[in-house]
Amino acid sequence: NAGVTQTPKFRILKIGQSMTLQCTQDMNHNYMYWYRQDPGMGLKLIYYSVGAGITDKGEVPNGYNVSRSTTEDFPLRLELAAPSQTSVYFCASSLTGQGTWELFFGEGSRLTVL
Amino acid sequence: GENVEQHPSTLSVQEGDSAVIKCTYSDSASNYFPWYKQELGKRPQLIIDIRSNVGEKKDQRIAVTLNKTAKHFSLHITETQPEDSAVYFCAASNGADGLTFGKGTHLIIQP
């Protein structure tokens, strides 16, 4: 199993550009999440999904969009990139409903907006 | 929503000593409290977790305690080793809508 795979690992964007961060998992997990991590600020939840076709906003959803057309994939879309979106983005998945809430994280995607 | 406070932000201990990191949470409905370790440039990984029906849990050199009344929980690492150097995050959750993380503690093990 590859676990949770994110691409790209690094990206530099200009202000106003758009891009999609890809996330896929091969563990058949029903729940998937996107977090952003800023220095000294911990991880903040952007969006999450409890299953294919269902998505919900987290703590910091503004400027982002997601979709969940399959169990495996949960892409994060940035529209009109802004310097405030410079961050490290982590995708995660979990198999809930089985007495466990452990999140399995991808390796992260470092995004810089200039 | 849930709010998790974590202290201290940086903790430096001598190798072999113990380290304690403390967290408080605000939502009394939270029932799951994990701790994640993140080494430099790596992804966070779960090291131990505790549920609200348990007061303490231990796994070799690490232990977590939970005080539901006071809404705080702590991570204890005994006999610290160089490989324990990392950033540690506490988190809380009341269900499936993701974890709310603390801001992290940078643990430094001095040789």
mmCIF file of all heavy atoms in Angstrom, chain B residues 9-53:
data_model
loop_
_atom_site.group_PDB
_atom_site.id
_atom_site.type_symbol
_atom_site.label_atom_id
_atom_site.label_comp_id
_atom_site.label_asym_id
_atom_site.label_seq_id
_atom_site.Cartn_x
_atom_site.Cartn_y
_atom_site.Cartn_z
ATOM 1 N N SER B 9 5.468 26.048 24.065
ATOM 2 C CA SER B 9 5.718 26.025 22.632
ATOM 3 C C SER B 9 7.086 25.413 22.336
ATOM 4 O O SER B 9 7.285 24.836 21.270
ATOM 5 C CB SER B 9 5.619 27.434 22.040
ATOM 6 O OG SER B 9 6.517 28.301 22.704
ATOM 7 N N THR B 10 8.026 25.560 23.268
ATOM 8 C CA THR B 10 9.347 24.947 23.158
ATOM 9 C C THR B 10 9.721 24.347 24.502
ATOM 10 O O THR B 10 9.476 24.955 25.542
ATOM 11 C CB THR B 10 10.408 25.980 22.742
ATOM 12 O OG1 THR B 10 10.020 26.598 21.525
ATOM 13 C CG2 THR B 10 11.765 25.305 22.551
ATOM 14 N N LEU B 11 10.290 23.147 24.468
ATOM 15 C CA LEU B 11 10.693 22.457 25.697
ATOM 16 C C LEU B 11 12.051 21.815 25.465
ATOM 17 O O LEU B 11 12.211 21.020 24.531
ATOM 18 C CB LEU B 11 9.645 21.395 26.057
ATOM 19 C CG LEU B 11 9.925 20.527 27.280
ATOM 20 C CD1 LEU B 11 10.039 21.388 28.532
ATOM 21 C CD2 LEU B 11 8.820 19.485 27.451
ATOM 22 N N SER B 12 13.012 22.180 26.299
ATOM 23 C CA SER B 12 14.351 21.629 26.187
ATOM 24 C C SER B 12 14.650 20.825 27.445
ATOM 25 O O SER B 12 14.514 21.341 28.557
ATOM 26 C CB SER B 12 15.376 22.766 26.031
ATOM 27 O OG SER B 12 16.677 22.256 25.904
ATOM 28 N N VAL B 13 15.006 19.549 27.268
ATOM 29 C CA VAL B 13 15.321 18.682 28.419
ATOM 30 C C VAL B 13 16.616 17.942 28.155
ATOM 31 O O VAL B 13 17.006 17.735 27.001
ATOM 32 C CB VAL B 13 14.187 17.672 28.705
ATOM 33 C CG1 VAL B 13 12.868 18.394 28.987
ATOM 34 C CG2 VAL B 13 14.026 16.685 27.572
ATOM 35 N N GLN B 14 17.258 17.545 29.246
ATOM 36 C CA GLN B 14 18.478 16.753 29.130
ATOM 37 C C GLN B 14 18.113 15.317 28.750
ATOM 38 O O GLN B 14 17.082 14.778 29.221
ATOM 39 C CB GLN B 14 19.239 16.742 30.459
ATOM 40 C CG GLN B 14 19.856 18.085 30.832
ATOM 41 C CD GLN B 14 20.998 18.456 29.911
ATOM 42 O OE1 GLN B 14 20.993 19.518 29.303
ATOM 43 N NE2 GLN B 14 21.982 17.584 29.801
ATOM 44 N N GLU B 15 18.938 14.716 27.933
ATOM 45 C CA GLU B 15 18.734 13.320 27.568
ATOM 46 C C GLU B 15 18.614 12.472 28.830
ATOM 47 O O GLU B 15 19.422 12.600 29.761
ATOM 48 C CB GLU B 15 19.895 12.835 26.713
ATOM 49 C CG GLU B 15 19.756 11.399 26.228
ATOM 50 C CD GLU B 15 20.922 10.992 25.343
ATOM 51 O OE1 GLU B 15 21.700 11.860 24.907
ATOM 52 O OE2 GLU B 15 21.048 9.785 25.087
ATOM 53 N N GLY B 16 17.593 11.619 28.867
ATOM 54 C CA GLY B 16 17.370 10.767 30.027
ATOM 55 C C GLY B 16 16.344 11.318 30.991
ATOM 56 O O GLY B 16 15.769 10.567 31.789
ATOM 57 N N ASP B 17 16.094 12.649 30.921
ATOM 58 C CA ASP B 17 15.064 13.256 31.772
ATOM 59 C C ASP B 17 13.689 13.043 31.156
ATOM 60 O O ASP B 17 13.551 12.536 30.046
ATOM 61 C CB ASP B 17 15.338 14.754 31.951
ATOM 62 C CG ASP B 17 16.524 15.012 32.853
ATOM 63 O OD1 ASP B 17 17.012 14.037 33.506
ATOM 64 O OD2 ASP B 17 16.975 16.178 32.921
ATOM 65 N N SER B 18 12.668 13.460 31.915
ATOM 66 C CA SER B 18 11.291 13.341 31.439
ATOM 67 C C SER B 18 10.820 14.653 30.821
ATOM 68 O O SER B 18 11.328 15.727 31.162
ATOM 69 C CB SER B 18 10.356 12.967 32.604
ATOM 70 O OG SER B 18 10.665 11.692 33.106
ATOM 71 N N ALA B 19 9.853 14.547 29.933
ATOM 72 C CA ALA B 19 9.244 15.725 29.299
ATOM 73 C C ALA B 19 7.733 15.628 29.444
ATOM 74 O O ALA B 19 7.163 14.537 29.305
ATOM 75 C CB ALA B 19 9.634 15.797 27.827
ATOM 76 N N VAL B 20 7.114 16.761 29.736
ATOM 77 C CA VAL B 20 5.654 16.806 29.872
ATOM 78 C C VAL B 20 5.106 17.956 29.030
ATOM 79 O O VAL B 20 5.591 19.087 29.128
ATOM 80 C CB VAL B 20 5.219 17.011 31.341
ATOM 81 C CG1 VAL B 20 3.684 17.050 31.432
ATOM 82 C CG2 VAL B 20 5.781 15.910 32.221
ATOM 83 N N ILE B 21 4.124 17.651 28.209
ATOM 84 C CA ILE B 21 3.462 18.659 27.370
ATOM 85 C C ILE B 21 1.982 18.650 27.737
ATOM 86 O O ILE B 21 1.382 17.584 27.861
ATOM 87 C CB ILE B 21 3.643 18.340 25.874
ATOM 88 C CG1 ILE B 21 5.133 18.253 25.527
ATOM 89 C CG2 ILE B 21 2.960 19.393 25.017
ATOM 90 C CD1 ILE B 21 5.416 17.704 24.129
ATOM 91 N N LYS B 22 1.422 19.862 27.889
ATOM 92 C CA LYS B 22 0.046 19.954 28.381
ATOM 93 C C LYS B 22 -0.864 20.627 27.358
ATOM 94 O O LYS B 22 -0.452 21.561 26.664
ATOM 95 C CB LYS B 22 0.021 20.744 29.685
ATOM 96 C CG LYS B 22 0.826 20.085 30.784
ATOM 97 C CD LYS B 22 0.738 20.836 32.088
ATOM 98 C CE LYS B 22 1.547 20.112 33.166
ATOM 99 N NZ LYS B 22 1.465 20.779 34.479
ATOM 100 N N CYS B 23 -2.105 20.155 27.325
ATOM 101 C CA CYS B 23 -3.117 20.738 26.434
ATOM 102 C C CYS B 23 -4.434 20.898 27.160
ATOM 103 O O CYS B 23 -4.764 20.090 28.038
ATOM 104 C CB CYS B 23 -3.323 19.858 25.204
ATOM 105 S SG CYS B 23 -1.925 19.889 24.061
ATOM 106 N N THR B 24 -5.167 21.940 26.794
ATOM 107 C CA THR B 24 -6.532 22.122 27.271
ATOM 108 C C THR B 24 -7.452 22.215 26.065
ATOM 109 O O THR B 24 -7.029 22.620 24.980
ATOM 110 C CB THR B 24 -6.676 23.384 28.133
ATOM 111 O OG1 THR B 24 -6.312 24.530 27.336
ATOM 112 C CG2 THR B 24 -5.782 23.328 29.347
ATOM 113 N N TYR B 25 -8.706 21.817 26.256
ATOM 114 C CA TYR B 25 -9.684 21.903 25.177
ATOM 115 C C TYR B 25 -10.936 22.583 25.696
ATOM 116 O O TYR B 25 -11.154 22.678 26.904
ATOM 117 C CB TYR B 25 -9.990 20.524 24.589
ATOM 118 C CG TYR B 25 -10.591 19.533 25.559
ATOM 119 C CD1 TYR B 25 -11.969 19.298 25.594
ATOM 120 C CD2 TYR B 25 -9.781 18.799 26.431
ATOM 121 C CE1 TYR B 25 -12.516 18.381 26.473
ATOM 122 C CE2 TYR B 25 -10.326 17.881 27.309
ATOM 123 C CZ TYR B 25 -11.689 17.674 27.330
ATOM 124 O OH TYR B 25 -12.241 16.759 28.203
ATOM 125 N N SER B 26 -11.775 23.054 24.776
ATOM 126 C CA SER B 26 -12.921 23.862 25.194
ATOM 127 C C SER B 26 -14.260 23.139 25.071
ATOM 128 O O SER B 26 -15.193 23.435 25.816
ATOM 129 C CB SER B 26 -12.977 25.152 24.357
ATOM 130 O OG SER B 26 -13.141 24.842 22.973
ATOM 131 N N ASP B 27 -14.363 22.205 24.141
ATOM 132 C CA ASP B 27 -15.641 21.557 23.864
ATOM 133 C C ASP B 27 -15.825 20.317 24.743
ATOM 134 O O ASP B 27 -15.113 19.331 24.567
ATOM 135 C CB ASP B 27 -15.701 21.178 22.377
ATOM 136 C CG ASP B 27 -17.064 20.654 21.955
ATOM 137 O OD1 ASP B 27 -17.932 20.433 22.830
ATOM 138 O OD2 ASP B 27 -17.269 20.464 20.751
ATOM 139 N N SER B 28 -16.775 20.369 25.652
ATOM 140 C CA SER B 28 -16.984 19.250 26.564
ATOM 141 C C SER B 28 -17.478 17.996 25.825
ATOM 142 O O SER B 28 -17.462 16.899 26.386
ATOM 143 C CB SER B 28 -17.995 19.635 27.649
ATOM 144 O OG SER B 28 -19.194 20.076 27.062
ATOM 145 N N ALA B 29 -17.923 18.154 24.574
ATOM 146 C CA ALA B 29 -18.366 16.991 23.792
ATOM 147 C C ALA B 29 -17.198 16.239 23.158
ATOM 148 O O ALA B 29 -17.383 15.134 22.639
ATOM 149 C CB ALA B 29 -19.340 17.435 22.698
ATOM 150 N N SER B 30 -15.992 16.797 23.184
ATOM 151 C CA SER B 30 -14.834 16.101 22.619
ATOM 152 C C SER B 30 -14.582 14.817 23.375
ATOM 153 O O SER B 30 -14.666 14.771 24.613
ATOM 154 C CB SER B 30 -13.589 16.991 22.659
ATOM 155 O OG SER B 30 -13.687 18.016 21.697
ATOM 156 N N ASN B 31 -14.297 13.743 22.640
ATOM 157 C CA ASN B 31 -14.157 12.441 23.284
ATOM 158 C C ASN B 31 -12.956 11.649 22.795
ATOM 159 O O ASN B 31 -12.788 10.471 23.123
ATOM 160 C CB ASN B 31 -15.436 11.614 23.078
ATOM 161 C CG ASN B 31 -15.784 11.454 21.609
ATOM 162 O OD1 ASN B 31 -14.975 11.746 20.737
ATOM 163 N ND2 ASN B 31 -16.995 10.997 21.342
ATOM 164 N N TYR B 32 -12.119 12.290 21.984
ATOM 165 C CA TYR B 32 -10.957 11.583 21.439
ATOM 166 C C TYR B 32 -9.787 12.537 21.420
ATOM 167 O O TYR B 32 -9.905 13.661 20.905
ATOM 168 C CB TYR B 32 -11.273 11.070 20.035
ATOM 169 C CG TYR B 32 -10.104 10.432 19.339
ATOM 170 C CD1 TYR B 32 -9.538 9.246 19.799
ATOM 171 C CD2 TYR B 32 -9.545 11.022 18.217
ATOM 172 C CE1 TYR B 32 -8.460 8.666 19.168
ATOM 173 C CE2 TYR B 32 -8.460 10.447 17.567
ATOM 174 C CZ TYR B 32 -7.926 9.273 18.055
ATOM 175 O OH TYR B 32 -6.855 8.698 17.426
ATOM 176 N N PHE B 33 -8.631 12.098 21.985
ATOM 177 C CA PHE B 33 -7.496 13.004 22.184
ATOM 178 C C PHE B 33 -6.201 12.314 21.752
ATOM 179 O O PHE B 33 -5.588 11.579 22.522
ATOM 180 C CB PHE B 33 -7.422 13.424 23.654
ATOM 181 C CG PHE B 33 -8.730 13.968 24.161
ATOM 182 C CD1 PHE B 33 -9.651 13.129 24.768
ATOM 183 C CD2 PHE B 33 -9.054 15.307 23.999
ATOM 184 C CE1 PHE B 33 -10.873 13.613 25.221
ATOM 185 C CE2 PHE B 33 -10.266 15.810 24.448
ATOM 186 C CZ PHE B 33 -11.175 14.960 25.047
ATOM 187 N N PRO B 34 -5.769 12.561 20.511
ATOM 188 C CA PRO B 34 -4.531 11.941 20.039
ATOM 189 C C PRO B 34 -3.338 12.876 20.164
ATOM 190 O O PRO B 34 -3.491 14.100 20.301
ATOM 191 C CB PRO B 34 -4.841 11.680 18.564
ATOM 192 C CG PRO B 34 -5.744 12.811 18.190
ATOM 193 C CD PRO B 34 -6.524 13.174 19.435
ATOM 194 N N TRP B 35 -2.165 12.284 20.101
ATOM 195 C CA TRP B 35 -0.916 13.038 20.053
ATOM 196 C C TRP B 35 -0.151 12.607 18.799
ATOM 197 O O TRP B 35 -0.013 11.415 18.533
ATOM 198 C CB TRP B 35 -0.060 12.759 21.286
ATOM 199 C CG TRP B 35 -0.589 13.407 22.516
ATOM 200 C CD1 TRP B 35 -1.520 12.895 23.382
ATOM 201 C CD2 TRP B 35 -0.223 14.690 23.033
ATOM 202 N NE1 TRP B 35 -1.747 13.780 24.409
ATOM 203 C CE2 TRP B 35 -0.971 14.893 24.215
ATOM 204 C CE3 TRP B 35 0.670 15.688 22.635
ATOM 205 C CZ2 TRP B 35 -0.861 16.052 24.984
ATOM 206 C CZ3 TRP B 35 0.775 16.839 23.399
ATOM 207 C CH2 TRP B 35 0.021 17.009 24.558
ATOM 208 N N TYR B 36 0.326 13.617 18.052
ATOM 209 C CA TYR B 36 1.078 13.355 16.838
ATOM 210 C C TYR B 36 2.497 13.886 16.987
ATOM 211 O O TYR B 36 2.731 14.931 17.603
ATOM 212 C CB TYR B 36 0.411 14.020 15.622
ATOM 213 C CG TYR B 36 -0.792 13.262 15.133
ATOM 214 C CD1 TYR B 36 -2.012 13.338 15.795
ATOM 215 C CD2 TYR B 36 -0.713 12.445 14.005
ATOM 216 C CE1 TYR B 36 -3.113 12.622 15.353
ATOM 217 C CE2 TYR B 36 -1.807 11.726 13.557
ATOM 218 C CZ TYR B 36 -3.004 11.816 14.234
ATOM 219 O OH TYR B 36 -4.088 11.096 13.797
ATOM 220 N N LYS B 37 3.425 13.173 16.383
ATOM 221 C CA LYS B 37 4.831 13.584 16.366
ATOM 222 C C LYS B 37 5.206 13.922 14.928
ATOM 223 O O LYS B 37 4.877 13.167 14.010
ATOM 224 C CB LYS B 37 5.706 12.431 16.873
ATOM 225 C CG LYS B 37 7.206 12.688 16.819
ATOM 226 C CD LYS B 37 7.956 11.444 17.277
ATOM 227 C CE LYS B 37 9.463 11.658 17.233
ATOM 228 N NZ LYS B 37 10.218 10.441 17.645
ATOM 229 N N GLN B 38 5.857 15.067 14.755
ATOM 230 C CA GLN B 38 6.286 15.464 13.425
ATOM 231 C C GLN B 38 7.775 15.793 13.441
ATOM 232 O O GLN B 38 8.203 16.783 14.043
ATOM 233 C CB GLN B 38 5.483 16.672 12.926
ATOM 234 C CG GLN B 38 5.789 17.040 11.480
ATOM 235 C CD GLN B 38 4.966 18.221 10.982
ATOM 236 O OE1 GLN B 38 4.573 19.095 11.758
ATOM 237 N NE2 GLN B 38 4.691 18.254 9.701
ATOM 238 N N GLU B 39 8.552 14.978 12.766
ATOM 239 C CA GLU B 39 9.979 15.254 12.627
ATOM 240 C C GLU B 39 10.161 16.269 11.507
ATOM 241 O O GLU B 39 9.285 16.443 10.651
ATOM 242 C CB GLU B 39 10.734 13.955 12.361
ATOM 243 C CG GLU B 39 10.634 12.993 13.551
ATOM 244 C CD GLU B 39 11.283 11.650 13.296
ATOM 245 O OE1 GLU B 39 11.707 11.404 12.154
ATOM 246 O OE2 GLU B 39 11.363 10.865 14.241
ATOM 247 N N LEU B 40 11.290 16.939 11.522
ATOM 248 C CA LEU B 40 11.551 18.033 10.594
ATOM 249 C C LEU B 40 11.373 17.595 9.144
ATOM 250 O O LEU B 40 12.002 16.641 8.693
ATOM 251 C CB LEU B 40 12.967 18.578 10.815
ATOM 252 C CG LEU B 40 13.315 19.847 10.065
ATOM 253 C CD1 LEU B 40 12.424 21.004 10.513
ATOM 254 C CD2 LEU B 40 14.788 20.208 10.259
ATOM 255 N N GLY B 41 10.490 18.287 8.437
ATOM 256 C CA GLY B 41 10.272 18.001 7.025
ATOM 257 C C GLY B 41 9.444 16.764 6.733
ATOM 258 O O GLY B 41 9.323 16.360 5.570
ATOM 259 N N LYS B 42 8.884 16.163 7.789
ATOM 260 C CA LYS B 42 8.113 14.928 7.596
ATOM 261 C C LYS B 42 6.634 15.160 7.897
ATOM 262 O O LYS B 42 6.223 16.225 8.322
ATOM 263 C CB LYS B 42 8.650 13.833 8.524
ATOM 264 C CG LYS B 42 10.125 13.555 8.396
ATOM 265 C CD LYS B 42 10.432 12.743 7.176
ATOM 266 C CE LYS B 42 11.917 12.469 7.060
ATOM 267 N NZ LYS B 42 12.241 11.125 6.715
ATOM 268 N N ARG B 43 5.853 14.133 7.679
ATOM 269 C CA ARG B 43 4.429 14.208 7.962
ATOM 270 C C ARG B 43 4.162 13.909 9.435
ATOM 271 O O ARG B 43 4.938 13.185 10.075
ATOM 272 C CB ARG B 43 3.677 13.202 7.088
ATOM 273 C CG ARG B 43 3.871 11.759 7.511
ATOM 274 C CD ARG B 43 3.339 10.777 6.489
ATOM 275 N NE ARG B 43 4.323 10.445 5.465
ATOM 276 C CZ ARG B 43 4.075 9.730 4.384
ATOM 277 N NH1 ARG B 43 2.850 9.301 4.150
ATOM 278 N NH2 ARG B 43 5.001 9.468 3.509
ATOM 279 N N PRO B 44 3.077 14.409 9.998
ATOM 280 C CA PRO B 44 2.718 14.045 11.378
ATOM 281 C C PRO B 44 2.330 12.576 11.447
ATOM 282 O O PRO B 44 1.696 12.042 10.527
ATOM 283 C CB PRO B 44 1.504 14.930 11.679
ATOM 284 C CG PRO B 44 1.540 16.013 10.650
ATOM 285 C CD PRO B 44 2.163 15.406 9.438
ATOM 286 N N GLN B 45 2.693 11.934 12.564
ATOM 287 C CA GLN B 45 2.346 10.531 12.753
ATOM 288 C C GLN B 45 1.830 10.333 14.167
ATOM 289 O O GLN B 45 2.393 10.881 15.135
ATOM 290 C CB GLN B 45 3.546 9.625 12.493
ATOM 291 C CG GLN B 45 3.954 9.603 11.012
ATOM 292 C CD GLN B 45 4.975 8.537 10.686
ATOM 293 O OE1 GLN B 45 6.074 8.569 11.191
ATOM 294 N NE2 GLN B 45 4.588 7.586 9.836
ATOM 295 N N LEU B 46 0.788 9.537 14.288
ATOM 296 C CA LEU B 46 0.172 9.260 15.584
ATOM 297 C C LEU B 46 1.131 8.467 16.469
ATOM 298 O O LEU B 46 1.727 7.477 16.024
ATOM 299 C CB LEU B 46 -1.106 8.457 15.375
ATOM 300 C CG LEU B 46 -1.864 8.063 16.646
ATOM 301 C CD1 LEU B 46 -2.527 9.287 17.246
ATOM 302 C CD2 LEU B 46 -2.900 6.981 16.342
ATOM 303 N N ILE B 47 1.294 8.930 17.728
ATOM 304 C CA ILE B 47 2.127 8.171 18.652
ATOM 305 C C ILE B 47 1.307 7.553 19.782
ATOM 306 O O ILE B 47 1.646 6.478 20.284
ATOM 307 C CB ILE B 47 3.272 9.023 19.243
ATOM 308 C CG1 ILE B 47 2.728 10.302 19.913
ATOM 309 C CG2 ILE B 47 4.299 9.354 18.174
ATOM 310 C CD1 ILE B 47 3.794 11.053 20.704
ATOM 311 N N ILE B 48 0.234 8.178 20.170
ATOM 312 C CA ILE B 48 -0.620 7.636 21.222
ATOM 313 C C ILE B 48 -1.934 8.403 21.209
ATOM 314 O O ILE B 48 -1.974 9.566 20.778
ATOM 315 C CB ILE B 48 0.064 7.712 22.607
ATOM 316 C CG1 ILE B 48 -0.650 6.829 23.635
ATOM 317 C CG2 ILE B 48 0.161 9.150 23.096
ATOM 318 C CD1 ILE B 48 0.145 6.607 24.919
ATOM 319 N N ASP B 49 -3.001 7.757 21.642
ATOM 320 C CA ASP B 49 -4.287 8.446 21.734
ATOM 321 C C ASP B 49 -5.052 7.941 22.947
ATOM 322 O O ASP B 49 -4.720 6.894 23.521
ATOM 323 C CB ASP B 49 -5.116 8.298 20.459
ATOM 324 C CG ASP B 49 -5.374 6.847 20.080
ATOM 325 O OD1 ASP B 49 -5.147 5.942 20.908
ATOM 326 O OD2 ASP B 49 -5.795 6.609 18.938
ATOM 327 N N ILE B 50 -6.050 8.700 23.352
ATOM 328 C CA ILE B 50 -6.848 8.318 24.514
ATOM 329 C C ILE B 50 -8.291 8.749 24.272
ATOM 330 O O ILE B 50 -8.536 9.773 23.627
ATOM 331 C CB ILE B 50 -6.278 8.944 25.814
ATOM 332 C CG1 ILE B 50 -6.929 8.324 27.049
ATOM 333 C CG2 ILE B 50 -6.420 10.464 25.814
ATOM 334 C CD1 ILE B 50 -6.209 8.675 28.343
ATOM 335 N N ARG B 51 -9.208 7.956 24.772
ATOM 336 C CA ARG B 51 -10.623 8.283 24.642
ATOM 337 C C ARG B 51 -11.164 8.762 25.982
ATOM 338 O O ARG B 51 -10.569 8.503 27.024
ATOM 339 C CB ARG B 51 -11.390 7.070 24.139
ATOM 340 C CG ARG B 51 -10.888 6.636 22.806
ATOM 341 C CD ARG B 51 -11.691 5.539 22.155
ATOM 342 N NE ARG B 51 -11.036 5.162 20.918
ATOM 343 C CZ ARG B 51 -11.139 5.845 19.785
ATOM 344 N NH1 ARG B 51 -11.884 6.915 19.739
ATOM 345 N NH2 ARG B 51 -10.501 5.451 18.705
ATOM 346 N N SER B 52 -12.311 9.409 25.936
ATOM 347 C CA SER B 52 -12.809 10.093 27.135
ATOM 348 C C SER B 52 -13.248 9.142 28.229
ATOM 349 O O SER B 52 -13.464 9.569 29.357
ATOM 350 C CB SER B 52 -13.960 11.024 26.769
ATOM 351 O OG SER B 52 -15.007 10.296 26.155
ATOM 352 N N ASN B 53 -13.368 7.852 27.932
ATOM 353 C CA ASN B 53 -13.763 6.905 28.978
ATOM 354 C C ASN B 53 -12.552 6.292 29.684
ATOM 355 O O ASN B 53 -12.699 5.379 30.495
ATOM 356 C CB ASN B 53 -14.638 5.797 28.377
ATOM 357 C CG ASN B 53 -13.933 5.040 27.267
ATOM 358 O OD1 ASN B 53 -12.887 5.469 26.782
ATOM 359 N ND2 ASN B 53 -14.509 3.927 26.870
#
